[in-house]
Amino acid sequence: MTHPDDTALADATKLALRRLAKSVVVITCRHEGRRYAMAATAVDALSMEPPSLLACVNRSASIHPALAGAEMFAINILRRDHEPLSHHCGGGAKGEARFELGSWDDEAPVPILADAQAAILCRRDATFEYGTHSIFVGRVAEVRTFGEVDPLVYVDGRYTGLHNSLSPMGRGLG
Amino acid sequence: MTHPDDTALADATKLALRRLAKSVVVITCRHEGRRYAMAATAVDALSMEPPSLLACVNRSASIHPALAGAEMFAINILRRDHEPLSHHCGGGAKGEARFELGSWDDEAPVPILADAQAAILCRRDATFEYGTHSIFVGRVAEVRTFGEVDPLVYVDGRYTGLHNSLSPMGRGLG
């Protein structure tokens, strides 16, 4: 399916998307008695009627069958000092070993990172397919926030944080 | 359809999502001889086979019918100093007046912001519906990048930029 032009276009697209700054999250779920976690950046607010968000996940990811089978999943927004956890859940560890790092609350229906910037527990409400990926839509069931706002950000192939001085001109987007 | 619990949950969800740092983009298209632009943050990389991305747009947005009708759209990733353009295209101006600010290249099939961090021209390849929003999937047709990496970021209801010192530990996500 791939010919040289596709490869060049994919490379150019990757270079362009390195400039789209993204909060780093860990997606978690529980399925058939096992816990799953994966670091990710392709997560967005979707609608507020109903409160919902989406996560794009490669069908080749080890968490994919669990997300497709589980009723619920959680989006845990990482804090700037969670960078080691992002490495760990981004490939550094596999399977249940991903939960050896971090403060996980296992009392919740889905494993929740206790000191995440925010943990958003969702009931899977729709799944769309495109190319190699599934778009999982979660309807929000429960929300937790913790601590000051200081998210871990991934941009230009690296981790960073936000500039301390937020713009005083800032105001809500339409 | 909305009852008090939904409203409380929507409020809690909004508070949590304020912590999800987002690059600011302007989505553009051309439809029936008119140009459309809207500042947005709900944009993600999707697949690399084929190179593609998605944008979540409220059906009540003025650009929505144009995006639904046009063959192509573009995602223009804003640079940190494009904050005034984000205000302008986020509600400060309406319709064609949104193009009075910024360096727009009107030779392209879709209006492209000449000094965007990156401009990604897409052919609309799928549309999914959920709640109040459409998820437009664009298959990448052409990509441009410009200048140093310094994206405009929206977090906690405000605009900011990235910390200068990128983590030396940074490495690719899996």
Side-chain angles (χ1 to χ4, degrees):
Chain A
M1 296 281 286
T2 303
H3 64 84
D5 281 359
D6 284 350
T7 307
L9 191 60
D11 288 347
T13 302
K14 283 177 197 164
L15 274 176
L17 289 170
R18 285 168 71 97
R19 292 159 173 250
L20 192 74
K22 303 296 287 186
S23 250
V24 185
V25 309
V26 171
I27 307 175
T28 51
C29 71
R30 200 187 294 273
H31 185 54
E32 296 180 348
R34 288 199 187 150
R35 295 175 297 171
Y36 294 84
M38 184 182 76
T41 56
V43 168
D44 267 311
L46 181 49
S47 179
M48 282 301 145
E49 298 169 34
S52 51
L53 48 76
L54 63 78
C56 306
V57 178
N58 198 312
R59 279 195 295 276
S60 73
S62 57
I63 199 175
H64 187 281
L67 285 171
E71 260 185 53
M72 307 193 81
F73 65 88
I75 300 297
N76 301 274
I77 302 176
L78 298 193
R79 204 172 60 195
R80 189 168 180 175
D81 62 3
H82 281 139
E83 184 178 331
L85 184 61
S86 176
H87 291 301
H88 194 71
C89 293
K94 301 289 176 197
E96 280 274 348
R98 291 191 174 174
F99 293 91
E100 288 170 5
L101 200 66
S103 304
W104 294 99
D105 171 6
D106 279 322
E107 304 298 309
V110 171
I112 293 290
L113 185 65
D115 58 353
Q117 287 273 290
I120 309 174
L121 192 66
C122 299
R123 195 168 297 279
R124 184 165 49 77
D125 202 27
T127 309
F128 304 117
E129 304 293 335
Y130 183 85
T132 49
H133 280 60
S134 297
I135 302 164
F136 292 107
V137 175
R139 182 170 176 154
V140 179
E142 194 186 324
V143 172
R144 297 184 197 177
T145 57
F146 179 84
E148 296 297 305
V149 180
D150 188 19
L152 180 64
V153 175
Y154 194 69
V155 70
D156 202 22
R158 291 170 169 235
Y159 292 96
T160 187
L162 299 172
H163 196 271
N164 292 328
S165 62
L166 293 173
S167 161
M169 291 178 60
R171 64 171 192 195
L173 274 171
Chain B
M1 295 280 285
T2 303
H3 64 84
D5 281 358
D6 285 350
T7 307
L9 192 59
D11 288 348
T13 302
K14 282 177 198 164
L15 274 176
L17 288 171
R18 285 168 72 96
R19 290 157 175 252
L20 191 73
K22 303 296 289 187
S23 251
V24 185
V25 309
V26 172
I27 306 175
T28 50
C29 71
R30 199 188 292 276
H31 186 52
E32 297 180 347
R34 287 200 187 150
R35 295 176 297 170
Y36 294 83
M38 185 182 75
T41 57
V43 168
D44 267 311
L46 180 50
S47 179
M48 282 300 146
E49 299 170 34
S52 51
L53 47 76
L54 63 77
C56 306
V57 179
N58 198 312
R59 281 195 294 277
S60 73
S62 57
I63 198 175
H64 187 280
L67 284 171
E71 261 185 52
M72 306 193 81
F73 65 87
I75 300 297
N76 302 275
I77 301 176
L78 297 193
R79 204 171 59 195
R80 189 170 181 174
D81 62 2
H82 281 140
E83 183 178 333
L85 184 61
S86 176
H87 290 300
H88 194 71
C89 293
K94 301 288 175 199
E96 280 273 347
R98 292 191 174 175
F99 293 92
E100 286 169 7
L101 201 65
S103 302
W104 294 98
D105 171 5
D106 279 322
E107 303 298 310
V110 171
I112 293 290
L113 185 65
D115 58 353
Q117 287 273 288
I120 308 174
L121 192 67
C122 299
R123 194 168 298 280
R124 184 164 48 77
D125 202 27
T127 308
F128 304 117
E129 305 293 333
Y130 183 84
T132 49
H133 280 59
S134 297
I135 303 164
F136 291 108
V137 175
R139 181 170 179 154
V140 179
E142 195 187 322
V143 172
R144 298 185 198 177
T145 57
F146 180 84
E148 296 296 307
V149 180
D150 189 18
L152 180 64
V153 175
Y154 193 70
V155 70
D156 202 22
R158 291 170 170 235
Y159 292 96
T160 186
L162 299 171
H163 195 270
N164 292 329
S165 62
L166 294 172
S167 161
M169 291 179 60
R171 65 171 192 194
L173 274 171

